[in-house]
Amino acid sequence: MDKLIIGRYIPGNSLVHRMDPRSKLLAMFAFVLIIFLANDVVGYGILTVFTFLGVALSRISISYFLKGLRPMLGLILFTVIFQMLFTTGGDVLFQIWLIKITTYSVQNAAYIFMRFVLIIFMSTLLTLTTPPLTLADGIETGLAPLKKIKVPVHEIGLMLSISLRFIPTLMDDTTMIMNAQKARGMDFGEGNLVQKVKSVIPILIPLFVSSFRRADDLAIAMESRGYQGGDGRSKYRILKWQRFDTLLLLSLVAVAAALIAWNRLK
Amino acid sequence: MQKILEIKNLTYKYDEESDVYVVNDVSFAISRGEWVSIIGRNGSGKSTTARLIDGLMAAESGEIVIDGETLTEENVWQLRQKIGMVFQNPDNQFVGSTVEDDVAFGMENQGVSRDEMVERVELALRRVNMQDFKTKEPARLSGGQKQRVAIAGIVALRPDIIILDEATSMLDPKGRLAIINVVREIKEQYGLTVISITHDLDEATLSDQIIVMKDGKIEQIARPDELFLNDNLTEIGLDVPFSSNVARELRQNGVQIPEKYYTESELADFLWQSILTK
């Protein structure tokens, strides 16, 4: 299951690793919004530089980021091709029957492509450098104001951290069940669509049942260790906001300001 | 000796309508500092008894007295702090996303201050020899290592009683031995009481007392040397210890060995002596 990079964490001790998850999360959201401000080469140039600066600072090999891109590749190509085919205007570069490729459509497709790549790189950077529990902690404290309107913030945080912790375990389960079913003569990915969907059932049901069992065991183990819900708990992990966190948010504001200024200037 | 745990006429059934009691009129008492094994076949009610003791399920009738206090719905959380449980499946009881988080989980629940938690996590991990794995995730650990972390999580909580609910049954012989040794050391150091539910002979021979359960009832309570003299061990869900097997084979082949239970080293000593005196 080495292919799956979503939610994976690569231990390290770089500047990005040591940052507060709250600032990283906030930056991630801000970045997604800022990306929509860019609409030309200069805009995307600034954001690309910013992204790769982050990647370089994390000291994680670029191959991990490319791996993170891989599962999304189909979706990206799909969107890019549609952009290419359905954007009108500009000089015609190439035409067969109804299909027209124009300078505009190429440009638009390139921008969409960059948008995807940058967002995926940034989110991969977030998950690769932040341990899942820290991330869940970040989300929990980030959501803390919502407690006032009775959002069960602690429960959301706990569910999140448990889900993240169980991803590799359930992956192993899936592989094991698949191999067990293969050993009994099951063919995965063969036949037509209906047969393919049907062949998923012998994986899905055992996986569900084993998840129920795991959940039951976990709940009992948690209760036996005195878990009574969020009230009156202390925290082992503490989040520390450092200078670099402020710096990151300020730099994002600067990037946003630069992009807005550039858009006005044009 | 002071009784740390007393169970009187405990009764429980899963299905209200059914007549089948999983735990049927079970009574026993355990002294402070004892190592007690509960053995029996699958479905004999061992694990259910353990869960009833920890208050994870409510008994239909009967009384559980922990350290002089009767378990009720009001004091269950407080009494539960005196008991640490290690369960069978190392994966399913690992709550934290790293080793240190998991050890800290129980203390977080009790609202222990952070400084003390850091100290206790360190200490507990050193105790089970897992200090180098502090920041590792469960997916990177072996089954035995995960069980050691589970024990560390309990050591950090400093309970009076540790219940091992088949905690070694999913481990290989080496990991099993390592876990038993760790628990034994911790028991000696902190003066704990250990209740071990097990199918494993080595674990059972270690104990001061063995409680044999069958069909929800207590069949026998005995010391290991009394119990292992029995001929019907396999019937109650236990294997015959290696030394007993050897002794029986030797007896059948005409070697004069008195009818008593020998540990492996005792048997070896006896054989050495019998050769010398011949």
Side-chain angles (χ1 to χ4, degrees), chain A residues 10-152:
Chain A
I10 311 279
N13 198 24
S14 69
L15 203 54
V16 186
H17 278 93
R18 274 177 279 136
M19 277 170 61
D20 193 301
R22 288 169 294 184
S23 76
K24 280 195 263 191
L25 268 169
L26 209 61
M28 174 69 217
F29 281 119
F31 188 81
V32 172
L33 295 179
I34 288 171
I35 261 187
F36 290 98
L37 289 174
N39 52 15
D40 59 5
V41 180
V42 176
Y44 280 104
I46 295 174
L47 290 177
T48 311
V49 170
F50 187 82
T51 309
F52 279 88
L53 201 68
V55 171
L57 278 176
S58 76
R59 297 217 194 108
I60 288 174
S61 143
I62 190 88
S63 66
Y64 280 109
F65 292 88
L66 295 176
K67 261 193 231 163
L69 208 56
R70 208 185 290 155
M72 301 293 285
L73 217 55
L75 181 69
I76 297 175
L77 285 181
F78 182 78
T79 328
V80 164
I81 287 167
F82 266 73
Q83 277 291 329
M84 200 105 85
L85 295 181
F86 293 108
T87 315
T88 49
D91 304 329
V92 178
L93 290 175
F94 179 81
Q95 185 172 21
I96 316 172
W97 189 47
L98 277 179
I99 301 166
K100 248 194 288 185
I101 307 285
T102 65
T103 43
Y104 263 38
S105 63
V106 171
Q107 205 181 27
N108 252 337
Y111 289 164
I112 291 282
F113 178 74
M114 280 317 285
R115 210 173 268 180
F116 266 115
V117 170
L118 291 180
I119 291 180
I120 291 168
F121 266 40
M122 268 301 185
S123 51
T124 315
L125 183 64
L126 175 76
T127 52
L128 285 183
T129 61
T130 322
L133 196 77
T134 320
L135 201 61
D137 270 354
I139 293 173
E140 195 182 330
T141 44
L143 290 177
L146 294 182
K147 255 184 219 162
K148 293 223 171 66
I149 54 167
K150 296 203 169 141
V151 177

Side-chain angles (χ1 to χ4, degrees), chain A residues 9 11 133 165-166 168-169 214 217-218 220-228 232-238, chain B residues 51 54 56 77 80 87 91-97 100-102 104-106 108-109 111-112 114 117:
Chain A
Y9 163 65
L133 196 77
R165 173 247 168 284
F166 269 96
T169 314
R214 283 189 192 280
D217 280 359
L218 186 73
I220 286 178
M222 284 170 73
E223 204 180 322
S224 82
R225 283 161 78 181
Y227 179 76
Q228 289 182 79
R233 279 190 102 223
S234 53
K235 276 209 167 282
Y236 180 69
R237 286 176 174 273
I238 39 165
Chain B
R51 282 172 195 199
D54 203 20
L56 295 168
W77 290 101
R80 198 172 280 162
F87 296 92
D91 257 318
N92 295 1
Q93 56 180 318
F94 206 107
V95 188
S97 51
E100 50 179 343
D101 288 311
D102 192 59
F105 178 76
E108 287 181 323
N109 293 335
V112 176
R114 195 189 124 78
M117 269 199 272

Side-chain angles (χ1 to χ4, degrees), chain B residues 22-162:
Chain B
V22 185
V23 174
N24 195 351
D25 197 23
V26 164
S27 309
F28 58 86
I30 293 172
S31 305
R32 192 178 283 275
E34 260 191 323
W35 181 307
V36 176
S37 294
I38 304 180
I39 59 174
R41 288 192 162 172
N42 291 336
S44 58
K46 313 178 298 275
S47 290
T48 311
T49 310
R51 282 172 195 199
L52 289 171
I53 294 171
D54 203 20
L56 295 168
M57 299 185 304
E60 192 181 280
S61 65
E63 198 183 0
I64 297 164
V65 183
I66 299 163
D67 207 7
E69 255 184 279
T70 305
L71 184 74
T72 61
E73 226 169 284
E74 286 79 46
N75 65 10
V76 60
W77 290 101
Q78 184 208 332
L79 286 181
R80 198 172 280 162
Q81 290 187 11
K82 293 178 190 282
I83 301 175
M85 272 183 101
V86 182
F87 296 92
Q88 182 175 21
N89 190 322
D91 257 318
N92 295 1
Q93 56 180 318
F94 206 107
V95 188
S97 51
T98 66
V99 167
E100 50 179 343
D101 288 311
D102 192 59
V103 176
F105 178 76
M107 289 188 281
E108 287 181 323
N109 293 335
Q110 293 186 6
V112 176
S113 76
R114 195 189 124 78
D115 290 335
E116 201 182 335
M117 269 199 272
V118 173
E119 201 178 300
R120 283 210 223 166
V121 165
E122 191 67 37
L123 210 71
L125 283 177
R126 209 168 319 135
R127 205 51 270 206
V128 300
N129 216 359
M130 287 290 288
Q131 66 271 42
D132 298 337
F133 296 86
K134 208 169 138 188
T135 54
K136 290 271 189 294
E137 296 128 86
R140 290 164 198 266
L141 303 178
S142 73
Q145 287 172 330
K146 276 178 226 169
Q147 289 301 59
R148 257 145 73 191
V149 173
I151 293 172
I154 281 157
V155 169
L157 285 174
R158 307 193 172 150
D160 296 317
I161 304 171
I162 289 189

